[in-house]
């Protein structure tokens, strides 16, 4: 399985300016642990001299553009039609998802929910909490940038 960095795992990032638990939590909230996104933030800091917080804000702004959202979905190997259906059909309140069960995914998306969620989990773009599932925060954001409010 592909894996994103966990908040705890970010402690091991060499020469990271995100050295407190709160700083690592901020880094993880914006990047969701995707290595390429963390590397972008670190490069802005180390190579361009941008403050850690400004580097996070710059990344968040880039991720909110349609071009970068499309690229993020492609880089994560996620079917755009699946995330479009997810973001337009699964309940999202104030940017936060309501966790969906396998049955919800099957009913709403019209696909075998267990099989789809297994594929999304293997790509590390869906997270399971008990019997419920949510899309990764960065993937959800990319899908919302591209498809929210569009049917």
């Amino acid at each position: 399985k592909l894996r994103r960095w966990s908040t705890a795992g970010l402690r091991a990032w060499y020469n990271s300016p995100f050295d407190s638990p709160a700083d690592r939590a901020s880094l993880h909230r914006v990047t969701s642990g995707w290595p390429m996104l963390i590397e972008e933030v670190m490069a802005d800091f180390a190579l361009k001299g941008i403050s850690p917080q400004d580097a996070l804000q710059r990344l968040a702004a880039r991720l909110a553009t349609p071009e970068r959202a499309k690229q993020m979905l492609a880089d994560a190997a996620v079917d755009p039609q699946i995330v479009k259906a997810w973001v337009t059909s699964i309940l999202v309140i104030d940017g936060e998802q309501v966790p969906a069960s396998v049955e919800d995914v099957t009913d709403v998306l019209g696909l075998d929910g267990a099989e789809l969620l297994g594929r999304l989990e293997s790509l590390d773009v869906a997270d399971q909490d008990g019997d419920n599932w949510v899309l990764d925060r960065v993937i959800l954001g990319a899908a919302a940038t591209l498809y929210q409010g569009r049917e």
Side-chain angles (χ1 to χ4, degrees), residues 11-38:
R11 287 187 324 232
W13 201 281
Y14 183 71
N15 283 339
S16 173
F18 300 92
D19 51 4
S20 74
D23 289 343
R24 286 190 296 274
S26 293
L27 177 62
H28 196 268
R29 186 178 61 255
V30 173
T31 65
S32 225
W34 290 102
M36 66 185 175
L37 299 180
I38 295 168

PDB file of all heavy atoms in Angstrom, residues 11-38:
ATOM      1  N   ARG A  11       8.028  13.727  12.677  1.00  0.00           N
ATOM      2  CA  ARG A  11       9.150  14.031  13.577  1.00  0.00           C
ATOM      3  C   ARG A  11      10.469  13.606  12.962  1.00  0.00           C
ATOM      4  O   ARG A  11      11.521  14.177  13.257  1.00  0.00           O
ATOM      5  CB  ARG A  11       8.986  13.309  14.914  1.00  0.00           C
ATOM      6  CG  ARG A  11       7.944  13.865  15.802  1.00  0.00           C
ATOM      7  CD  ARG A  11       8.004  13.182  17.146  1.00  0.00           C
ATOM      8  NE  ARG A  11       8.341  11.778  17.021  1.00  0.00           N
ATOM      9  CZ  ARG A  11       7.673  10.777  17.545  1.00  0.00           C
ATOM     10  NH1 ARG A  11       6.637  11.003  18.294  1.00  0.00           N
ATOM     11  NH2 ARG A  11       8.047   9.537  17.368  1.00  0.00           N
ATOM     12  N   ALA A  12      10.453  12.586  12.117  1.00  0.00           N
ATOM     13  CA  ALA A  12      11.682  12.044  11.534  1.00  0.00           C
ATOM     14  C   ALA A  12      12.177  12.850  10.336  1.00  0.00           C
ATOM     15  O   ALA A  12      13.255  12.567   9.817  1.00  0.00           O
ATOM     16  CB  ALA A  12      11.439  10.596  11.104  1.00  0.00           C
ATOM     17  N   TRP A  13      11.410  13.844   9.894  1.00  0.00           N
ATOM     18  CA  TRP A  13      11.817  14.615   8.720  1.00  0.00           C
ATOM     19  C   TRP A  13      13.041  15.446   9.080  1.00  0.00           C
ATOM     20  O   TRP A  13      12.990  16.309   9.943  1.00  0.00           O
ATOM     21  CB  TRP A  13      10.676  15.507   8.246  1.00  0.00           C
ATOM     22  CG  TRP A  13      10.833  15.929   6.816  1.00  0.00           C
ATOM     23  CD1 TRP A  13      11.646  16.926   6.373  1.00  0.00           C
ATOM     24  CD2 TRP A  13      10.210  15.363   5.685  1.00  0.00           C
ATOM     25  NE1 TRP A  13      11.554  17.023   5.020  1.00  0.00           N
ATOM     26  CE2 TRP A  13      10.676  16.079   4.563  1.00  0.00           C
ATOM     27  CE3 TRP A  13       9.304  14.333   5.491  1.00  0.00           C
ATOM     28  CZ2 TRP A  13      10.258  15.798   3.274  1.00  0.00           C
ATOM     29  CZ3 TRP A  13       8.891  14.058   4.213  1.00  0.00           C
ATOM     30  CH2 TRP A  13       9.361  14.775   3.116  1.00  0.00           C
ATOM     31  N   TYR A  14      14.143  15.201   8.402  1.00  0.00           N
ATOM     32  CA  TYR A  14      15.427  15.833   8.702  1.00  0.00           C
ATOM     33  C   TYR A  14      15.360  17.345   8.469  1.00  0.00           C
ATOM     34  O   TYR A  14      14.878  17.804   7.444  1.00  0.00           O
ATOM     35  CB  TYR A  14      16.509  15.198   7.836  1.00  0.00           C
ATOM     36  CG  TYR A  14      17.891  15.721   8.102  1.00  0.00           C
ATOM     37  CD1 TYR A  14      18.549  15.399   9.279  1.00  0.00           C
ATOM     38  CD2 TYR A  14      18.531  16.547   7.189  1.00  0.00           C
ATOM     39  CE1 TYR A  14      19.818  15.877   9.539  1.00  0.00           C
ATOM     40  CE2 TYR A  14      19.800  17.026   7.430  1.00  0.00           C
ATOM     41  CZ  TYR A  14      20.432  16.695   8.611  1.00  0.00           C
ATOM     42  OH  TYR A  14      21.683  17.170   8.863  1.00  0.00           O
ATOM     43  N   ASN A  15      15.877  18.119   9.419  1.00  0.00           N
ATOM     44  CA  ASN A  15      15.947  19.588   9.346  1.00  0.00           C
ATOM     45  C   ASN A  15      14.591  20.252   9.144  1.00  0.00           C
ATOM     46  O   ASN A  15      14.491  21.283   8.488  1.00  0.00           O
ATOM     47  CB  ASN A  15      16.912  20.044   8.250  1.00  0.00           C
ATOM     48  CG  ASN A  15      18.348  19.916   8.669  1.00  0.00           C
ATOM     49  OD1 ASN A  15      18.664  19.866   9.853  1.00  0.00           O
ATOM     50  ND2 ASN A  15      19.238  19.857   7.690  1.00  0.00           N
ATOM     51  N   SER A  16      13.565  19.679   9.674  1.00  0.00           N
ATOM     52  CA  SER A  16      12.234  20.259   9.541  1.00  0.00           C
ATOM     53  C   SER A  16      12.059  21.439  10.483  1.00  0.00           C
ATOM     54  O   SER A  16      12.400  21.355  11.659  1.00  0.00           O
ATOM     55  CB  SER A  16      11.166  19.211   9.870  1.00  0.00           C
ATOM     56  OG  SER A  16       9.891  19.826   9.893  1.00  0.00           O
ATOM     57  N   PRO A  17      11.504  22.543   9.973  1.00  0.00           N
ATOM     58  CA  PRO A  17      11.204  23.666  10.858  1.00  0.00           C
ATOM     59  C   PRO A  17       9.924  23.424  11.668  1.00  0.00           C
ATOM     60  O   PRO A  17       9.594  24.210  12.545  1.00  0.00           O
ATOM     61  CB  PRO A  17      11.021  24.832   9.886  1.00  0.00           C
ATOM     62  CG  PRO A  17      10.488  24.186   8.652  1.00  0.00           C
ATOM     63  CD  PRO A  17      11.195  22.847   8.591  1.00  0.00           C
ATOM     64  N   PHE A  18       9.238  22.347  11.374  1.00  0.00           N
ATOM     65  CA  PHE A  18       7.997  21.994  12.053  1.00  0.00           C
ATOM     66  C   PHE A  18       8.351  21.065  13.217  1.00  0.00           C
ATOM     67  O   PHE A  18       8.111  19.869  13.171  1.00  0.00           O
ATOM     68  CB  PHE A  18       7.015  21.339  11.076  1.00  0.00           C
ATOM     69  CG  PHE A  18       6.654  22.240   9.937  1.00  0.00           C
ATOM     70  CD1 PHE A  18       7.361  22.215   8.749  1.00  0.00           C
ATOM     71  CD2 PHE A  18       5.601  23.140  10.065  1.00  0.00           C
ATOM     72  CE1 PHE A  18       7.041  23.061   7.702  1.00  0.00           C
ATOM     73  CE2 PHE A  18       5.266  23.999   9.028  1.00  0.00           C
ATOM     74  CZ  PHE A  18       5.987  23.957   7.841  1.00  0.00           C
ATOM     75  N   ASP A  19       8.949  21.645  14.262  1.00  0.00           N
ATOM     76  CA  ASP A  19       9.514  20.810  15.312  1.00  0.00           C
ATOM     77  C   ASP A  19       8.616  20.625  16.529  1.00  0.00           C
ATOM     78  O   ASP A  19       8.884  19.759  17.348  1.00  0.00           O
ATOM     79  CB  ASP A  19      10.892  21.318  15.733  1.00  0.00           C
ATOM     80  CG  ASP A  19      10.903  22.800  16.067  1.00  0.00           C
ATOM     81  OD1 ASP A  19       9.843  23.435  16.049  1.00  0.00           O
ATOM     82  OD2 ASP A  19      11.999  23.311  16.337  1.00  0.00           O
ATOM     83  N   SER A  20       7.546  21.364  16.645  1.00  0.00           N
ATOM     84  CA  SER A  20       6.640  21.153  17.781  1.00  0.00           C
ATOM     85  C   SER A  20       5.455  20.304  17.324  1.00  0.00           C
ATOM     86  O   SER A  20       5.151  20.245  16.127  1.00  0.00           O
ATOM     87  CB  SER A  20       6.132  22.494  18.323  1.00  0.00           C
ATOM     88  OG  SER A  20       5.163  23.041  17.442  1.00  0.00           O
ATOM     89  N   PRO A  21       4.778  19.666  18.252  1.00  0.00           N
ATOM     90  CA  PRO A  21       3.589  18.893  17.873  1.00  0.00           C
ATOM     91  C   PRO A  21       2.543  19.747  17.142  1.00  0.00           C
ATOM     92  O   PRO A  21       1.938  19.294  16.169  1.00  0.00           O
ATOM     93  CB  PRO A  21       3.059  18.372  19.207  1.00  0.00           C
ATOM     94  CG  PRO A  21       4.277  18.275  20.081  1.00  0.00           C
ATOM     95  CD  PRO A  21       5.120  19.465  19.673  1.00  0.00           C
ATOM     96  N   ALA A  22       2.362  20.982  17.583  1.00  0.00           N
ATOM     97  CA  ALA A  22       1.379  21.863  16.925  1.00  0.00           C
ATOM     98  C   ALA A  22       1.821  22.195  15.502  1.00  0.00           C
ATOM     99  O   ALA A  22       0.995  22.219  14.577  1.00  0.00           O
ATOM    100  CB  ALA A  22       1.186  23.138  17.737  1.00  0.00           C
ATOM    101  N   ASP A  23       3.120  22.442  15.308  1.00  0.00           N
ATOM    102  CA  ASP A  23       3.636  22.735  13.970  1.00  0.00           C
ATOM    103  C   ASP A  23       3.475  21.532  13.044  1.00  0.00           C
ATOM    104  O   ASP A  23       3.094  21.678  11.885  1.00  0.00           O
ATOM    105  CB  ASP A  23       5.110  23.140  14.029  1.00  0.00           C
ATOM    106  CG  ASP A  23       5.327  24.502  14.646  1.00  0.00           C
ATOM    107  OD1 ASP A  23       4.372  25.305  14.747  1.00  0.00           O
ATOM    108  OD2 ASP A  23       6.480  24.765  15.056  1.00  0.00           O
ATOM    109  N   ARG A  24       3.787  20.347  13.571  1.00  0.00           N
ATOM    110  CA  ARG A  24       3.622  19.132  12.749  1.00  0.00           C
ATOM    111  C   ARG A  24       2.156  18.893  12.423  1.00  0.00           C
ATOM    112  O   ARG A  24       1.825  18.459  11.317  1.00  0.00           O
ATOM    113  CB  ARG A  24       4.244  17.924  13.447  1.00  0.00           C
ATOM    114  CG  ARG A  24       5.773  17.943  13.406  1.00  0.00           C
ATOM    115  CD  ARG A  24       6.374  16.641  13.891  1.00  0.00           C
ATOM    116  NE  ARG A  24       6.091  16.363  15.289  1.00  0.00           N
ATOM    117  CZ  ARG A  24       6.790  16.805  16.317  1.00  0.00           C
ATOM    118  NH1 ARG A  24       7.851  17.562  16.120  1.00  0.00           N
ATOM    119  NH2 ARG A  24       6.465  16.477  17.555  1.00  0.00           N
ATOM    120  N   ALA A  25       1.275  19.188  13.358  1.00  0.00           N
ATOM    121  CA  ALA A  25      -0.159  19.037  13.098  1.00  0.00           C
ATOM    122  C   ALA A  25      -0.598  19.991  11.985  1.00  0.00           C
ATOM    123  O   ALA A  25      -1.398  19.619  11.113  1.00  0.00           O
ATOM    124  CB  ALA A  25      -0.969  19.272  14.370  1.00  0.00           C
ATOM    125  N   SER A  26      -0.072  21.214  11.988  1.00  0.00           N
ATOM    126  CA  SER A  26      -0.390  22.174  10.917  1.00  0.00           C
ATOM    127  C   SER A  26       0.116  21.675   9.571  1.00  0.00           C
ATOM    128  O   SER A  26      -0.591  21.750   8.560  1.00  0.00           O
ATOM    129  CB  SER A  26       0.241  23.539  11.214  1.00  0.00           C
ATOM    130  OG  SER A  26      -0.342  24.132  12.330  1.00  0.00           O
ATOM    131  N   LEU A  27       1.339  21.178   9.560  1.00  0.00           N
ATOM    132  CA  LEU A  27       1.910  20.630   8.330  1.00  0.00           C
ATOM    133  C   LEU A  27       1.055  19.469   7.824  1.00  0.00           C
ATOM    134  O   LEU A  27       0.738  19.388   6.634  1.00  0.00           O
ATOM    135  CB  LEU A  27       3.351  20.166   8.576  1.00  0.00           C
ATOM    136  CG  LEU A  27       4.072  19.500   7.410  1.00  0.00           C
ATOM    137  CD1 LEU A  27       4.210  20.443   6.228  1.00  0.00           C
ATOM    138  CD2 LEU A  27       5.450  18.993   7.859  1.00  0.00           C
ATOM    139  N   HIS A  28       0.658  18.596   8.720  1.00  0.00           N
ATOM    140  CA  HIS A  28      -0.146  17.442   8.321  1.00  0.00           C
ATOM    141  C   HIS A  28      -1.542  17.865   7.866  1.00  0.00           C
ATOM    142  O   HIS A  28      -2.091  17.310   6.914  1.00  0.00           O
ATOM    143  CB  HIS A  28      -0.239  16.421   9.454  1.00  0.00           C
ATOM    144  CG  HIS A  28      -0.701  15.091   8.978  1.00  0.00           C
ATOM    145  ND1 HIS A  28      -2.038  14.733   8.967  1.00  0.00           N
ATOM    146  CD2 HIS A  28      -0.021  14.033   8.463  1.00  0.00           C
ATOM    147  CE1 HIS A  28      -2.147  13.510   8.476  1.00  0.00           C
ATOM    148  NE2 HIS A  28      -0.940  13.067   8.157  1.00  0.00           N
ATOM    149  N   ARG A  29      -2.122  18.864   8.523  1.00  0.00           N
ATOM    150  CA  ARG A  29      -3.465  19.324   8.141  1.00  0.00           C
ATOM    151  C   ARG A  29      -3.469  19.838   6.695  1.00  0.00           C
ATOM    152  O   ARG A  29      -4.379  19.550   5.928  1.00  0.00           O
ATOM    153  CB  ARG A  29      -3.959  20.403   9.098  1.00  0.00           C
ATOM    154  CG  ARG A  29      -5.398  20.817   8.858  1.00  0.00           C
ATOM    155  CD  ARG A  29      -5.917  21.873   9.839  1.00  0.00           C
ATOM    156  NE  ARG A  29      -5.142  23.101   9.758  1.00  0.00           N
ATOM    157  CZ  ARG A  29      -4.242  23.503  10.659  1.00  0.00           C
ATOM    158  NH1 ARG A  29      -4.006  22.781  11.734  1.00  0.00           N
ATOM    159  NH2 ARG A  29      -3.577  24.624  10.505  1.00  0.00           N
ATOM    160  N   VAL A  30      -2.429  20.574   6.303  1.00  0.00           N
ATOM    161  CA  VAL A  30      -2.379  21.140   4.954  1.00  0.00           C
ATOM    162  C   VAL A  30      -1.969  20.102   3.916  1.00  0.00           C
ATOM    163  O   VAL A  30      -2.532  20.052   2.823  1.00  0.00           O
ATOM    164  CB  VAL A  30      -1.426  22.359   4.906  1.00  0.00           C
ATOM    165  CG1 VAL A  30      -1.231  22.847   3.478  1.00  0.00           C
ATOM    166  CG2 VAL A  30      -1.961  23.476   5.791  1.00  0.00           C
ATOM    167  N   THR A  31      -1.008  19.245   4.256  1.00  0.00           N
ATOM    168  CA  THR A  31      -0.460  18.295   3.278  1.00  0.00           C
ATOM    169  C   THR A  31      -1.105  16.918   3.329  1.00  0.00           C
ATOM    170  O   THR A  31      -0.936  16.127   2.405  1.00  0.00           O
ATOM    171  CB  THR A  31       1.043  18.083   3.498  1.00  0.00           C
ATOM    172  OG1 THR A  31       1.241  17.451   4.774  1.00  0.00           O
ATOM    173  CG2 THR A  31       1.807  19.394   3.413  1.00  0.00           C
ATOM    174  N   SER A  32      -1.780  16.619   4.421  1.00  0.00           N
ATOM    175  CA  SER A  32      -2.358  15.299   4.656  1.00  0.00           C
ATOM    176  C   SER A  32      -1.289  14.210   4.660  1.00  0.00           C
ATOM    177  O   SER A  32      -1.580  13.041   4.510  1.00  0.00           O
ATOM    178  CB  SER A  32      -3.432  14.990   3.611  1.00  0.00           C
ATOM    179  OG  SER A  32      -4.571  14.459   4.195  1.00  0.00           O
ATOM    180  N   GLY A  33      -0.035  14.630   4.793  1.00  0.00           N
ATOM    181  CA  GLY A  33       1.060  13.668   4.844  1.00  0.00           C
ATOM    182  C   GLY A  33       1.584  13.226   3.488  1.00  0.00           C
ATOM    183  O   GLY A  33       2.464  12.362   3.425  1.00  0.00           O
ATOM    184  N   TRP A  34       1.079  13.814   2.393  1.00  0.00           N
ATOM    185  CA  TRP A  34       1.564  13.427   1.064  1.00  0.00           C
ATOM    186  C   TRP A  34       3.015  13.866   0.922  1.00  0.00           C
ATOM    187  O   TRP A  34       3.317  15.049   1.027  1.00  0.00           O
ATOM    188  CB  TRP A  34       0.709  14.058  -0.040  1.00  0.00           C
ATOM    189  CG  TRP A  34      -0.660  13.472  -0.115  1.00  0.00           C
ATOM    190  CD1 TRP A  34      -1.808  14.018   0.359  1.00  0.00           C
ATOM    191  CD2 TRP A  34      -1.028  12.218  -0.696  1.00  0.00           C
ATOM    192  NE1 TRP A  34      -2.868  13.179   0.121  1.00  0.00           N
ATOM    193  CE2 TRP A  34      -2.423  12.074  -0.528  1.00  0.00           C
ATOM    194  CE3 TRP A  34      -0.309  11.210  -1.336  1.00  0.00           C
ATOM    195  CZ2 TRP A  34      -3.103  10.946  -0.979  1.00  0.00           C
ATOM    196  CZ3 TRP A  34      -1.012  10.093  -1.785  1.00  0.00           C
ATOM    197  CH2 TRP A  34      -2.390   9.977  -1.606  1.00  0.00           C
ATOM    198  N   PRO A  35       3.941  12.935   0.689  1.00  0.00           N
ATOM    199  CA  PRO A  35       5.363  13.278   0.627  1.00  0.00           C
ATOM    200  C   PRO A  35       5.692  14.400  -0.352  1.00  0.00           C
ATOM    201  O   PRO A  35       6.461  15.301  -0.040  1.00  0.00           O
ATOM    202  CB  PRO A  35       6.039  11.965   0.218  1.00  0.00           C
ATOM    203  CG  PRO A  35       5.119  10.914   0.752  1.00  0.00           C
ATOM    204  CD  PRO A  35       3.729  11.486   0.562  1.00  0.00           C
ATOM    205  N   MET A  36       5.098  14.388  -1.537  1.00  0.00           N
ATOM    206  CA  MET A  36       5.429  15.424  -2.526  1.00  0.00           C
ATOM    207  C   MET A  36       4.990  16.803  -2.043  1.00  0.00           C
ATOM    208  O   MET A  36       5.654  17.801  -2.322  1.00  0.00           O
ATOM    209  CB  MET A  36       4.807  15.101  -3.880  1.00  0.00           C
ATOM    210  CG  MET A  36       3.310  15.138  -3.900  1.00  0.00           C
ATOM    211  SD  MET A  36       2.700  14.595  -5.503  1.00  0.00           S
ATOM    212  CE  MET A  36       0.957  14.615  -5.164  1.00  0.00           C
ATOM    213  N   LEU A  37       3.896  16.874  -1.281  1.00  0.00           N
ATOM    214  CA  LEU A  37       3.439  18.163  -0.769  1.00  0.00           C
ATOM    215  C   LEU A  37       4.331  18.643   0.376  1.00  0.00           C
ATOM    216  O   LEU A  37       4.647  19.836   0.476  1.00  0.00           O
ATOM    217  CB  LEU A  37       1.984  18.079  -0.327  1.00  0.00           C
ATOM    218  CG  LEU A  37       0.984  17.702  -1.422  1.00  0.00           C
ATOM    219  CD1 LEU A  37      -0.434  17.658  -0.852  1.00  0.00           C
ATOM    220  CD2 LEU A  37       1.066  18.638  -2.617  1.00  0.00           C
ATOM    221  N   ILE A  38       4.746  17.714   1.213  1.00  0.00           N
ATOM    222  CA  ILE A  38       5.668  18.067   2.298  1.00  0.00           C
ATOM    223  C   ILE A  38       6.986  18.562   1.707  1.00  0.00           C
ATOM    224  O   ILE A  38       7.545  19.569   2.161  1.00  0.00           O
ATOM    225  CB  ILE A  38       5.893  16.875   3.245  1.00  0.00           C
ATOM    226  CG1 ILE A  38       4.579  16.523   3.951  1.00  0.00           C
ATOM    227  CG2 ILE A  38       6.987  17.187   4.265  1.00  0.00           C
ATOM    228  CD1 ILE A  38       4.606  15.205   4.686  1.00  0.00           C
TER     229      ILE A  38
END
